[in-house]
């Protein structure tokens, strides 16, 4: 098994109603998150963001003419103990690059890596998300309803 690089992209998707797309993990049904994934060798964080959105939701943002916003924000967090075996031995921290993408709520979602998805209010997303950095990204980068 090839180890994951301890550097990832987090992409918060929200719709025209300022609802946040939450994805339920297959390996931990209590864990809801935004799109996220590790950078591959030679890949820039923005490339990872586009790739992961397509892989996890079926949304080809480039083909739809949508631009992912790079918030030029990086987080560093401790990798959950249950996932550390995926990284090189002794790796404890991950660096996360934060992005967001607004899509129409009518855009079809095709899941490949998650159990289910839900469009929820910003407040509900903040209550349900497990990751503190994911909560912060939703709080900072998803507009509040007018």
């Amino acid at each position: 098994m090839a180890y994951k690089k301890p550097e990832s992209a987090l992409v918060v998707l929200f719709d025209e109603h300022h609802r946040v797309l939450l994805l339920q993990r297959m390996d931990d049904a209590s864990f809801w998150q935004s799109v996220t994934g590790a950078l591959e060798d030679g890949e820039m964080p923005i490339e990872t963001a586009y790739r992961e959105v397509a892989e996890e939701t079926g949304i080809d943002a480039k083909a739809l003419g949508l631009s992912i916003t790079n918030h030029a924000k990086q987080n560093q967090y401790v990798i959950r103990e249950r996932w550390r075996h995926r990284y090189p031995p002794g790796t404890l921290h991950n660096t996360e690059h934060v992005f967001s993408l607004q899509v129409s709520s009518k855009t079809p979602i095709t899941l490949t890596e998650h159990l289910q998805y839900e469009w929820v209010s910003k407040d509900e997303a903040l209550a349900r998300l497990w990751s503190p950095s994911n909560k912060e990204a939703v709080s900072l980068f998803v507009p509040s309803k007018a």
Side-chain angles (χ1 to χ4, degrees):
M1 172 183 112
Y3 290 119
K4 285 186 171 201
K5 185 175 181 178
E7 187 174 10
S8 64
L10 170 69
V11 188
V12 175
L13 276 68
F14 63 95
D15 70 7
E16 67 276 16
H17 307 290
H18 307 277
R19 294 180 304 174
V20 179
L21 181 69
L22 294 187
L23 304 170
Q24 184 182 36
R25 289 188 66 99
M26 282 188 186
D27 61 357
D28 183 348
S30 67
F31 194 111
W32 289 82
Q33 65 183 34
S34 293
V35 169
T36 187
L39 275 67
E40 294 180 353
D41 286 340
E43 198 173 46
M44 298 299 296
I46 189 69
E47 295 169 321
T48 303
Y50 279 101
R51 177 179 54 76
E52 288 292 340
V53 167
E55 286 178 5
E56 294 186 11
T57 68
I59 297 172
D60 185 340
K62 287 182 181 178
L64 293 172
L66 302 173
S67 295
I68 292 178
T69 301
N70 182 347
H71 294 288
K73 176 167 179 43
Q74 292 182 13
N75 299 311
Q76 189 170 71
Y77 62 85
V78 175
I79 298 167
R80 286 178 86 186
E81 191 171 341
R82 69 187 293 177
W83 295 332
R84 288 185 190 155
H85 69 278
R86 299 174 182 170
Y87 298 89
T91 302
L92 300 177
H93 295 90
N94 185 72
T95 300
E96 174 182 77
H97 302 269
V98 182
F99 302 89
S100 66
L101 174 63
Q102 184 173 5
V103 299
S104 168
S105 59
K106 295 178 182 165
T107 305
I109 305 290
T110 303
L111 297 179
T112 58
E113 301 178 15
H114 295 86
L115 291 173
Q116 63 179 329
Y117 72 90
E118 291 183 33
W119 287 104
V120 301
S121 70
K122 183 175 178 176
D123 287 341
E124 185 172 347
L126 293 172
R128 290 176 60 188
L129 289 165
W130 181 89
S131 162
S133 66
N134 200 162
K135 287 181 184 191
E136 179 187 46
V138 167
S139 180
L140 290 174
F141 305 121
V142 174
S144 296
K145 272 189 134 175

